[in-house]
Amino acid sequence: MRALRLPRLSSLRAFDHPGYFAVWMGALISTIGTWMETVAMGVYVTEVTGRAEWTGGIVALTYLPSVVLSPLGGALADRFDRRAYVALGTVAQLLLAGVLTVLAFTHQLSVPVVGVVSFLHGCASTLINPAFSAMLAELVPPRDLHSAMSLNSAQYNLGRIAGPALAAVVLGMGGASWALLVNTLSFVAVLVALSRVQAPARAAAKASSGLWKEIAHGFEVARKDSEISLMMWSTLLVALLVAPFIGLVPVFAIREFGQGAAATSLLVTCQGAGAVTAALVVGTLVDSLGQRKLLGYLALAIGGVSALYWLSPTLPVAAVLMFVLGANYMMLMSGTHTYCQSRVPRELQARTSSIYSMVLGGGYAAGVWGLGALADRVGLRFVTVSASVLFLALVLTLRLLRPRSFEGAEG
């Protein structure tokens, strides 16, 4: 099978590798289904409860397992065959999605049930995500790692474009049950893609070192590398103060603009469109500025862009700013993830990815629930704008105290 021929942009080099492209396509189909479920359940919980705290809480339950399970997932991914490991986790996700679908069709769906299934789905995702990221890194040579990670983020955000649009149609025609059914079936695409890929052979992890020693070693490597440590702290702040814009979209659409599924789908789609656009140009930006300097610029920008988004006076203005915010967020987070992975040998990449996922997922869970709870008490716009401004102030302070962090040294 020949790789798909595309324009020779550096951002697209990973597509030259057929194994990578097969997995990318399977993941895209699954992501479309996931975003259909996300929109359907976000609208459902917001309309049933009327509280941002509940909407944020359900989202938080999906990411909360990463605090505990991400390091374990990274160590397991470095110990077992990654393709088989990802396949097993995908089957678990398919079964959980199937349970939610059956409950919806039999009218047994409730907010607590959505919360439990979201938590279990988060456990499965947390355990396999480090293996998936490390598997992608195995499918391309080191020079194409940034392209592979950026395109992986792009497929997630292409799903964010198509999924909500399809969700709006399906919700209008058949209700949440059918959106959940599509999501369940979408996991089959991942299994088919994995069956067609042979990951490169690699040395097995030494079982004698012990699973927990491997986890501790991953943390020790991240702690001793000052650049990785800085990236992890930056990721935590973004997750706490900025990233909740993702999970609170239904609340913003319904509470501030008086609209439901259509407005929610529009904003989610605009975020995805911005991220995909960014994925096409980020390689060129990295080539021009250097990865480290670009990350510094993106960190400076995202606080202000986020604040402007939450201050949007109308839905069209919010949609435009969401496009910009989506682009900024995608480049910052995928770039941070890639930068951390590029500083360790391949046998440690899954563990490094798991620590990154733990920081991002745990911070996001706390941030989206905390900001949602505060929004119910003092107002959505006030809370979210304040968080964005606080992030901007922290980045500016860091720039004053550690100017070399923004000078682009690749260390």
Side-chain angles (χ1 to χ4, degrees):
M1 175 180 173
R2 293 176 63 84
L4 183 67
R5 295 298 179 186
L6 291 166
R8 297 298 299 170
L9 293 172
S10 60
S11 302
L12 303 176
R13 282 198 301 253
F15 279 161
D16 287 342
H17 310 284
Y20 177 88
F21 183 71
V23 174
W24 188 91
M25 284 298 300
L28 174 61
I29 294 170
S30 178
T31 301
I32 290 172
T34 297
W35 275 107
M36 292 182 69
E37 178 189 294
T38 299
V39 170
M41 292 299 92
V43 172
Y44 169 78
V45 173
T46 301
E47 290 181 342
V48 168
T49 67
R51 293 178 63 84
E53 185 174 4
W54 272 100
T55 304
I58 295 296
V59 174
L61 285 172
T62 304
Y63 289 89
L64 192 60
S66 64
V67 178
V68 176
L69 296 181
S70 276
L72 177 61
L76 290 174
D78 283 334
R79 180 175 282 244
F80 300 120
D81 178 82
R82 288 166 180 168
R83 187 183 64 160
Y85 185 75
V86 171
L88 182 62
T90 302
V91 170
Q93 291 176 307
L94 185 154
L95 293 175
L96 287 169
V99 168
L100 207 59
T101 301
V102 170
L103 291 174
F105 273 109
T106 57
H107 305 290
Q108 300 297 313
L109 198 62
S110 67
V111 173
V113 167
V114 172
V116 170
V117 174
S118 296
F119 178 78
L120 294 175
H121 180 81
C123 291
S125 297
T126 297
L127 287 172
I128 68 172
N129 281 343
F132 185 78
S133 294
M135 183 182 68
L136 291 181
E138 289 180 331
L139 296 175
V140 300
R143 70 184 291 266
D144 293 338
L145 178 60
H146 195 283
S147 171
M149 293 297 103
S150 295
L151 287 172
N152 184 48
S153 181
Q155 70 81 8
Y156 183 78
N157 286 284
L158 277 171
R160 196 194 300 265
I161 295 172
L166 289 173
V169 175
V170 173
L171 289 172
M173 296 178 62
S177 303
W178 291 97
L180 296 176
L181 176 60
V182 173
N183 178 50
T184 301
L185 297 175
S186 71
F187 288 106
V188 176
V190 179
L191 297 175
V192 171
L194 291 173
S195 71
R196 298 170 61 88
V197 170
Q198 182 62 53
R202 62 186 182 90
K206 296 181 180 178
S208 59
S209 64
L211 182 64
W212 301 112
K213 286 186 178 181
E214 292 171 12
I215 293 174
H217 179 56
F219 275 99
E220 186 68 9
V221 170
R223 183 183 68 82
K224 288 184 176 180
D225 189 310
S226 61
E227 288 290 303
I228 294 179
S229 294
L230 176 62
M231 292 297 157
M232 294 298 180
W233 281 109
S234 300
T235 297
L236 178 61
L237 291 176
V238 173
L240 284 169
L241 300 174
V242 179
F245 79 89
I246 301 169
L248 295 178
V249 164
V251 180
F252 195 37
I254 293 171
R255 190 174 292 183
E256 301 298 332
F257 300 120
Q259 301 186 48
T264 299
S265 297
L266 173 64
L267 292 176
V268 174
T269 298
C270 285
Q271 182 193 346
V276 171
T277 302
L280 295 176
V281 302
V282 66
T284 302
L285 292 175
V286 169
D287 291 342
S288 300
L289 299 174
Q291 191 175 34
R292 193 64 183 77
K293 182 178 288 187
L294 177 62
L295 290 176
Y297 290 151
L298 292 169
L300 278 171
I302 198 167
V305 175
S306 176
L308 290 174
Y309 163 73
W310 288 113
L311 289 170
S312 300
T314 64
L315 181 60
V317 172
V320 172
L321 288 170
M322 177 61 102
F323 178 91
V324 179
L325 182 56
N328 195 329
Y329 183 80
M330 177 269 159
M331 288 191 288
L332 178 60
M333 304 316 290
S334 68
T336 301
H337 189 189
T338 303
Y339 187 74
C340 290
Q341 283 196 310
S342 69
R343 294 185 67 84
V344 298
R346 287 202 169 196
E347 60 268 20
L348 285 172
Q349 284 180 336
R351 273 171 278 179
T352 303
S353 179
S354 73
I355 297 170
Y356 172 86
S357 297
M358 180 190 72
V359 172
L360 178 60
Y364 179 61
V368 74
W369 177 82
L371 294 188
L374 288 172
D376 286 334
R377 291 158 176 78
V378 297
L380 179 65
R381 289 185 191 264
F382 176 79
V383 168
T384 51
V385 171
S386 297
S388 301
V389 172
L390 175 59
F391 178 82
L392 177 59
L394 291 171
V395 174
L396 289 172
T397 301
L398 177 63
R399 185 181 180 93
L400 291 174
L401 296 177
R402 295 185 59 180
R404 289 193 63 189
S405 298
F406 294 81
E407 291 175 1
E410 298 293 334

